[in-house]
Amino acid sequence: MSTAHLSDWLTARRPLVLGLFRMVLGILFTSEGAATVFGVLDRTASPMGDWPFWYAGVIELACGVFVLLGVTTRSAAFISSGIMAFAYFTEHQKDGLFPLQNGGLAPALFCWGFLLIVFFGPGALSLSGLVGREETDVRPTARPEPEQRVGE
């Protein structure tokens, strides 16, 4: 398969892969929220109303479900990205500059993963896409046309 054919084959599958990425990110974020709120998955629940952890858990749980299902995806991803940036800078940054130093690798990856979804949308397999309420395709960038010089 030539490079051009491979590129076209990959581009054609971009919406599906983005949709799968969104769903995996949503499942992971939902599990973080469920662990914080309900104390599942070998984690102790944060006491109800405990600032900021319990509230963050509720947001993680709700936004994670929205992102997973592809409902109000961009809004939920924007909120999720913001809360992960907040978590990184308030809880982790004080222990070192880099995520490997301060234990903030998960918030950093969640933050940037959700920001990607904010800009690229939900991809394929979203509930909003099924009812036509949210754009699900990821348009490839247009390839520039070769310049033609005058007199050629």
Side-chain angles (χ1 to χ4, degrees):
M1 185 180 287
S2 73
T3 306
H5 291 302
L6 179 60
S7 179
D8 291 343
W9 186 85
L10 292 171
T11 299
R13 282 143 185 87
R14 193 181 296 174
L16 178 61
V17 172
L18 180 61
L20 293 173
F21 174 78
R22 171 191 46 81
M23 292 187 320
V24 168
L25 199 64
I27 288 170
L28 295 173
F29 207 56
T30 301
S31 67
E32 284 285 335
T36 302
V37 173
F38 302 118
V40 296
L41 303 170
D42 294 330
R43 194 181 294 167
T44 305
S46 185
M48 183 180 281
D50 183 31
W51 177 258
F53 304 107
W54 185 81
Y55 294 97
V58 170
I59 292 170
E60 290 169 356
L61 184 62
C63 287
V65 169
F66 289 143
V67 169
L68 168 64
L69 297 176
V71 178
T72 65
T73 310
R74 286 185 158 143
S75 299
F78 181 76
I79 293 167
S80 300
S81 180
I83 197 168
M84 288 295 97
F86 176 82
Y88 184 81
F89 288 112
T90 60
E91 296 298 319
H92 298 279
Q93 184 71 41
K94 61 188 173 197
D95 296 328
L97 178 62
F98 295 105
L100 288 176
Q101 292 174 306
N102 62 29
L105 188 60
L109 290 173
F110 274 128
C111 179
W112 287 101
F114 285 120
L115 195 60
L116 182 83
I117 291 172
V118 169
F119 281 91
F120 284 93
L125 308 173
S126 70
L127 289 181
S128 294
L130 290 175
V131 295
R133 305 200 89 216
E134 196 164 15
E135 187 176 310
T136 59
D137 67 330
V138 179
R139 293 186 195 117
T141 56
R143 292 184 180 155
E145 295 293 325
E147 291 184 27
Q148 299 228 349
R149 297 183 186 189
V150 178
E152 285 186 35

